[in-house]
Amino acid sequence: MIQLSANMLYAAFFLYILSAVLFAVSITGGKFKNRKGEEDNKAGLFGYITAILAFGASLTYFITRWIAVGYAPVSNMFEYTAALGIALGLAFVIIHPIYRNNYLGLFTMPVVMLIIAYASMFPREVQPLIPALQSHWLTIHVITTVIGQGILAIGFVAGLLYLVRVIDFKKTSKKVKGVEFIIYTLVATVAYVGLGFGFGAADYEANFAYINEQGNEAEVTYFLPPLIGPNEGELISEQGMSPLVEVPAYIRSDDLNTVVWSVLAGLLLYGLLRLVLRKPVGGAIQPVVKNVNPQTVDEISYRAIAIGFPIFTLGGLIFAMIWAQIAWTRFWGWDPKEVWALITFLFYAAYLHLRLSRGWHGEKSAWLCVIGFALIMFNLIFVNLVIAGLHSYA
């Protein structure tokens, strides 16, 4: 059953690739004609059908893994990140028939693919739940949260599409730099996945003995060369090298090392793209989206956030506090992940206030959509992985 589950996730990934290609053809292949000489480009329809099939395959992965492990598969980074990709795929399948916007599909499918590929970099072994997670609130809290974040991710995609469409990339400005930074983060994710597969194929592992945050001796395994070393670390494996720097015990050194590698590899890959294109990457993409209606994607981003925000609030704060009260006898404890969940909630609440009361539409709204999702990803990646806390089990 576990193998079937893994195969279905692989199938979903390749179907999302095919869907992205079909949406690209629907935009660039407008001169296709039928036997009567009429323009007849159905690639967008086939792209949407393929997206449905991809979502069906990913949902099959989720259900079969749930059956195999006996609990909702959202208990670690692999499972949660894969669930986020599934939720984004679900949100797109629901929203696309309303607007029939193939450009949204062209931008959404690669993001879903990246999220699933990123998830695959984490350990996929089935492990028993720790006592704190053995509760039906795991299912209620986490699944509600991830669905809310998946819908909010549509707001990010539509916001990015809006910015690429309207910003003047021929002039050097903070706006251009902002969009290029967003594109860089996506490129860095691609670079990280490439590094993971490359060193994984080489069976690279470096083991260190170190002193953890409780002052006890422990061991940690690196799957990328250790630029960042653990607290009072000592290399105990044949593979590996001496780290350039060591970090305090409250920092998860192996995960920070991965982040550093991703940043550096992303800079290299992004630099190569700029060298080849000889212009901002967003400027190279802009001609493809010249026919996008800015008002339509602005409406899509707003509606996605208006729907996703209350769902995220319900799962990420209300259900989370109920579970915290049951598990830890307090509903709030200022744990790093709790703090950033609250920051995310306040940010999206401010977005809705500014949108409805101050008339922040268009470009201002798009920037807020992008920044909001950046907060979600910061909480998922950096806070969850690098900073030790009660949620570090993920």
Side-chain angles (χ1 to χ4, degrees):
M1 188 69 76
I2 289 294
Q3 188 58 50
L4 172 62
S5 175
N7 291 340
M8 294 309 298
L9 192 61
Y10 285 131
F13 177 79
F14 288 109
L15 284 169
Y16 278 122
I17 292 177
L18 178 58
S19 179
V21 171
L22 289 169
F23 278 120
V25 171
S26 73
I27 292 166
T28 60
K31 295 182 180 180
F32 293 172
K33 298 182 182 296
N34 59 22
R35 293 179 180 179
K36 297 180 179 179
E38 300 170 337
E39 188 173 306
D40 186 25
N41 186 349
K42 295 184 179 179
L45 173 61
F46 294 142
Y48 176 63
I49 293 173
T50 306
I52 294 175
L53 294 175
F55 169 71
S58 62
L59 184 62
T60 303
Y61 141 78
F62 191 82
I63 294 172
T64 51
R65 187 173 177 92
W66 191 335
I67 294 172
V69 301
Y71 54 83
V74 288
S75 65
N76 56 45
M77 278 298 292
F78 162 67
E79 293 175 345
Y80 186 89
T81 309
L84 178 58
I86 295 170
L88 176 53
L90 171 62
F92 174 77
V93 165
I94 294 173
I95 290 174
H96 184 267
I98 301 173
Y99 294 95
R100 299 182 182 275
N101 191 308
N102 293 337
Y103 293 94
L104 185 67
L106 177 62
F107 273 55
T108 303
M109 295 301 99
V111 175
V112 177
M113 289 157 45
L114 271 180
I115 292 174
I116 292 176
Y118 178 74
S120 69
M121 295 294 100
F122 294 97
R124 285 164 277 181
E125 294 79 10
V126 176
Q127 297 179 346
L129 289 177
I130 64 174
L133 295 181
Q134 294 175 6
S135 169
H136 63 278
W137 283 103
L138 169 69
T139 303
I140 298 171
H141 155 55
V142 183
I143 290 182
T144 307
T145 302
V146 80
I147 291 174
Q149 290 178 339
I151 300 172
L152 293 172
I154 289 289
F156 157 74
V157 173
L160 179 58
L161 177 56
Y162 184 98
L163 294 174
V164 173
R165 168 64 178 81
V166 303
I167 286 178
D168 184 1
F169 287 92
K170 295 179 181 179
K171 300 178 181 179
T172 301
S173 65
K174 292 181 180 179
K175 296 176 182 179
V176 172
K177 292 178 180 178
V179 172
E180 289 300 297
F181 179 76
I182 298 165
I183 294 173
Y184 158 73
T185 60
L186 298 175
V187 170
T189 304
V190 174
Y192 166 68
V193 172
L195 285 172
F197 278 116
F199 282 101
D203 292 325
Y204 180 89
E205 284 189 11
N207 298 311
F208 284 84
Y210 75 106
I211 305 300
N212 64 19
E213 61 269 26
Q214 284 81 35
N216 301 322
E217 293 185 0
E219 293 186 8
V220 62
T221 300
Y222 283 65
F223 298 99
L224 294 174
L227 302 176
I228 308 295
N231 179 49
E232 299 182 30
E234 179 183 353
L235 183 66
I236 57 175
S237 62
E238 295 182 0
Q239 286 184 317
M241 65 181 192
S242 298
L244 300 180
V245 296
E246 290 185 359
V247 294
Y250 62 83
I251 299 293
R252 298 175 65 87
S253 60
D254 55 330
D255 294 321
L256 179 58
N257 184 69
T258 300
V259 172
V260 171
W261 268 105
S262 302
V263 170
L264 295 177
L267 285 172
L268 177 61
L269 185 55
Y270 175 79
L272 290 174
L273 284 174
R274 288 295 300 266
L275 185 64
V276 171
L277 297 172
R278 297 185 178 276
K279 65 172 68 174
V281 180
I285 299 173
Q286 192 172 56
V288 178
V289 300
K290 62 182 179 180
N291 293 325
V292 168
N293 185 327
Q295 287 72 33
T296 299
V297 290
D298 180 57
E299 180 183 346
I300 292 172
S301 64
Y302 164 66
R303 289 185 181 276
I305 291 175
I307 296 170
F309 173 69
I311 298 175
F312 170 79
T313 302
L314 191 63
L317 287 180
I318 297 175
F319 290 161
M321 288 188 286
I322 294 173
W323 189 11
Q325 180 66 40
I326 295 172
W328 299 319
T329 68
R330 93 294 185 275
F331 68 89
W332 190 263
W334 299 105
D335 184 70
K337 197 166 179 66
E338 295 174 354
V339 171
W340 279 95
L342 177 61
I343 291 172
T344 304
F345 163 80
L346 293 174
F347 182 89
Y348 278 111
Y351 163 84
L352 291 174
H353 169 72
L354 292 170
R355 173 97 187 190
L356 299 174
S357 301
R358 300 294 181 89
W360 279 34
H361 296 257
E363 193 173 318
K364 291 181 179 179
S365 175
W367 280 114
L368 292 179
C369 293
V370 169
I371 294 171
F373 189 68
L375 290 176
I376 290 174
M377 297 310 294
F378 180 82
N379 195 4
L380 173 65
I381 298 172
F382 191 86
V383 176
N384 212 33
L385 292 178
V386 177
I387 302 176
L390 289 173
H391 290 81
S392 295
Y393 53 74

